[in-house]
Amino acid sequence: MENEPSVASFAVQELPASPECLKMQADFPGILPEKLFDYWTKPGLLCLWWPPEAEIEPREGGKYHLAWPRSNWHLRGRYLAFERGKHLAFTWKWDADPKDASPKQVSLSFVALDGGTQILLTHGPYTDSSEDAEARAGHLEGWTHFLSQLHQACSEA
């Protein structure tokens, strides 16, 4: 089928950045920015590729709660920016993080390509501690996996 995005052509890249910040990009051919944004902000679409459960207040300042009940994992935060098809930013804090730990932030830019979208993802800030170096490496691995899951979910829609 000629117009369907090819899973084989999908790639996630880490971009050059300082150790305090993780930067990545991924191209989503055939997926328009508004539709790709919806996969991050509508629970029914988000749960196709990331958490099994999601509660979202879809607006700047709104809260979100992503849950993996089998593992008792809970990720919570607030939307710092919420501009459909353009920009999404949110705080990132696991319930298991130390209470005094500052939340990380994730920022996504949705850039229109010829018939598709490029996502630019930034995650941080990280300190020079070994714990943060480990967290950064884990986020790189996790985003590489889940952006591929997102691409697959979008391609099957």
Side-chain angles (χ1 to χ4, degrees):
M1 294 184 212
E2 227 170 271
N3 293 333
E4 289 188 23
S6 167
V7 174
S9 68
F10 181 75
V12 178
Q13 297 178 339
E14 180 180 8
L15 301 175
S18 70
E20 295 84 31
C21 183
L22 172 63
K23 290 187 178 185
M24 303 177 75
Q25 94 178 22
D27 292 348
F28 292 79
I31 311 296
L32 296 178
E34 294 80 7
K35 183 67 174 172
L36 194 55
F37 186 92
D38 290 347
Y39 273 84
W40 287 87
T41 59
K42 294 188 175 185
L45 295 173
L46 182 63
C47 293
L48 293 175
W49 65 275
W50 196 11
E53 296 179 7
E55 297 172 35
I56 292 174
E57 294 175 11
R59 61 180 173 78
E60 188 172 325
K63 296 178 185 177
Y64 74 86
H65 172 210
L66 309 182
W68 291 259
R70 287 186 184 176
S71 303
N72 196 28
W73 294 347
H74 299 272
L75 180 65
R76 300 174 198 268
R78 284 193 178 276
Y79 291 108
L80 305 171
F82 202 98
E83 208 176 337
R84 186 170 185 252
K86 294 184 173 136
H87 186 224
L88 182 68
F90 48 93
T91 60
W92 170 286
K93 192 163 188 333
W94 292 98
D95 284 1
D97 287 343
K99 295 294 179 204
D100 61 346
S102 295
K104 304 281 187 235
Q105 292 184 12
V106 175
S107 177
L108 298 158
S109 295
F110 298 81
V111 180
L113 298 175
D114 185 25
T117 305
Q118 181 177 78
I119 285 182
L120 300 172
L121 181 147
T122 304
H123 196 147
Y126 302 96
T127 65
D128 58 2
S129 73
S130 60
E131 292 85 5
D132 264 12
E134 189 177 316
R136 186 184 188 284
H139 292 148
L140 174 61
E141 182 180 338
W143 283 126
T144 299
H145 171 77
F146 283 109
L147 288 172
S148 294
Q149 294 291 106
L150 171 58
H151 180 262
Q152 184 175 348
C154 291
S155 298
E156 292 172 355

